[in-house]
Amino acid sequence: MTARFEVETTAIDGLLVLKRRRIADARGHLSRLFCADELAEIGWHGPVAQINESASRFAGTVRGMHFQTPPFGEMKLVTCLAGRILDVAVDLRKGSSTFLRHVAVELSAENACSFLIPQGFAHGFQTLSDDVTMIYAHSAPYRAEAEGGLSPTDPRLAIRWPLPVAHLSPRDAAHPLLGADYRGLAV
């Protein structure tokens, strides 16, 4: 099978950047956003249980840092369909050698990249342009009772947002700072 994407590893095991191959002609292009067989080869487990779209109107908007607690953890495949974002995943896996470290990647309509985020990570992003549209494939359905979040400005996470943090939802603004006793998620 010829893969429809190139896989780029990151500094944290399990976090992958996928560059989609585009088939283009004078009319435009086609690229595959999801293929269960191809993604299974690099770690996608289970079906796509949910697909969500996110639209943000203004540059600087920060959404996150969200996660689902065990046993309702999920993998995410995040793609930017319009505009540009800095996408961030923070390792929350208890006992991980990269615990609380993060990887940030730029996703855009132009670069045709997606971010594959395994269970045990918090996820968020900042819009780098106005009028951003994103699509997320989730391996498990959302469960309100399993929802968790971290403050995107928590000094322990040390995320360097390229623009001033703006347009936080009330929910995201209320996410707590991590306490010194935080040990992570058992995945």
Side-chain angles (χ1 to χ4, degrees), residues 12 61-66 85-92 100-105 115 121-128 149-165 168 175-178:
I12 297 180
T61 299
V62 171
R63 296 181 186 259
M65 302 297 295
H66 307 142
I85 67 163
L86 183 72
D87 207 38
V88 179
V90 176
D91 188 351
L92 300 181
L100 295 185
R101 288 185 38 205
H102 69 276
V103 168
V105 298
F115 201 16
F121 284 77
H123 170 255
F125 66 89
Q126 182 176 54
T127 58
L128 303 178
L150 306 176
S151 171
T153 58
D154 191 321
R156 269 187 87 185
L157 302 180
I159 299 169
R160 292 186 182 168
W161 301 107
L163 302 174
V165 172
L168 281 172
H175 288 319
L177 298 178
L178 288 171

Side-chain angles (χ1 to χ4, degrees), residues 21-42:
R21 293 195 177 132
R22 289 182 168 162
I23 300 168
D25 61 22
R27 300 168 296 169
H29 71 268
L30 170 94
S31 67
R32 184 175 293 162
L33 294 178
F34 187 93
C35 175
D37 289 343
E38 291 176 12
L39 290 171
E41 293 176 14
I42 59 170

Side-chain angles (χ1 to χ4, degrees), residues 37-84:
D37 289 343
E38 291 176 12
L39 290 171
E41 293 176 14
I42 59 170
W44 183 274
H45 305 290
V48 173
Q50 189 169 303
I51 297 176
N52 296 321
E53 175 194 16
S54 167
S56 300
R57 293 168 48 189
F58 307 111
T61 299
V62 171
R63 296 181 186 259
M65 302 297 295
H66 307 142
F67 59 92
Q68 293 278 287
T69 59
F72 305 108
E74 62 184 358
M75 292 188 75
K76 291 182 184 178
L77 182 65
V78 182
T79 302
C80 183
L81 298 175
R84 294 173 45 236

